[in-house]
Amino acid sequence: MLRVHFDDWGMINYKKAWDKQQVYFDGISDIKIENRHRTSGKPKIPENHLFFCEHPHVYTLGKNGHKENLLLDEKRMFEKGIDFYKINRGGDITYHGPGQIMGYFIWDLEQLYTDIDKFLRELEGAIILTLAEYGIEGGRIKGLTGVWLDEDSPLKSRKICAMGMRISRWVTMHGFALNV
């Protein structure tokens, strides 16, 4: 069973949260590199972390994203107090803001399995089960990552939970954005 340390960061600026994630990510990566070069003794087991938080208004652009998909220009974002960051996760443009729960996973997936798709599908399943606890029916749309409402109705379907990850050396970073 995977042991995970949990912390709630509350309302936190996106850049500050990103920097904090990076510190934990680098720590796990360093342990894994050290273990590969270890010639004796037991390898160190990296600690896994899950952080919840909310952010002030911000748009993030994943490494596969296209800035032209952003509906506001930089001047309008500045006027509205909205931050913008190009970041190192997959995906396109994502909005984060008050009332949205962010879940950031800094995990060594090798402690579980080395299957990114399985990890994302299990994460979607956990969100779907959580929504069901509140009487909300969420689902998946084939070929898309995330959790949707009214996923069977193209004219009504909408995403309730976006997901975007960075995975390097089987260490995860970033996670999900659940609209509450």
Side-chain angles (χ1 to χ4, degrees), residues 9 44 49 51 69 72 83 85 99 120 141 143 145 156 160 164:
W9 290 344
K44 292 182 182 177
H49 301 272
F51 304 112
N69 291 338
L72 295 173
D83 288 332
Y85 295 98
L120 291 172
I141 296 179
T145 298
K156 292 173 53 179
I160 191 168

Side-chain angles (χ1 to χ4, degrees), residues 40-108:
S40 65
K42 287 187 172 183
K44 292 182 182 177
I45 305 298
E47 293 184 343
N48 299 286
H49 301 272
L50 171 59
F51 304 112
F52 282 176
C53 65
E54 289 182 71
H55 296 305
H57 304 288
V58 61
Y59 284 99
T60 61
L61 178 65
K63 61 185 176 183
N64 304 325
H66 304 283
K67 195 168 181 180
E68 58 270 14
N69 291 338
L70 184 61
L71 301 178
L72 295 173
D73 61 27
E74 290 181 37
K75 180 179 181 229
R76 293 281 316 258
M77 285 192 294
F78 178 79
E79 290 169 353
K80 294 180 173 284
I82 301 172
D83 288 332
F84 175 79
Y85 295 98
K86 287 184 176 182
I87 62 172
N88 58 356
R89 63 154 170 77
D92 201 349
I93 297 243
T94 303
Y95 166 80
H96 307 297
Q100 185 181 67
I101 297 173
M102 302 300 304
Y104 293 131
F105 296 84
I106 317 297
W107 286 9
D108 175 13

Side-chain angles (χ1 to χ4, degrees), residues 10 22 44 51 82 96-97 101 110 127 133 145 148 150 178:
Q22 190 67 54
K44 292 182 182 177
F51 304 112
I82 301 172
H96 307 297
I101 297 173
E110 283 185 308
I127 297 294
E133 289 291 318
T145 298
W148 305 77
D150 297 314
L178 176 61

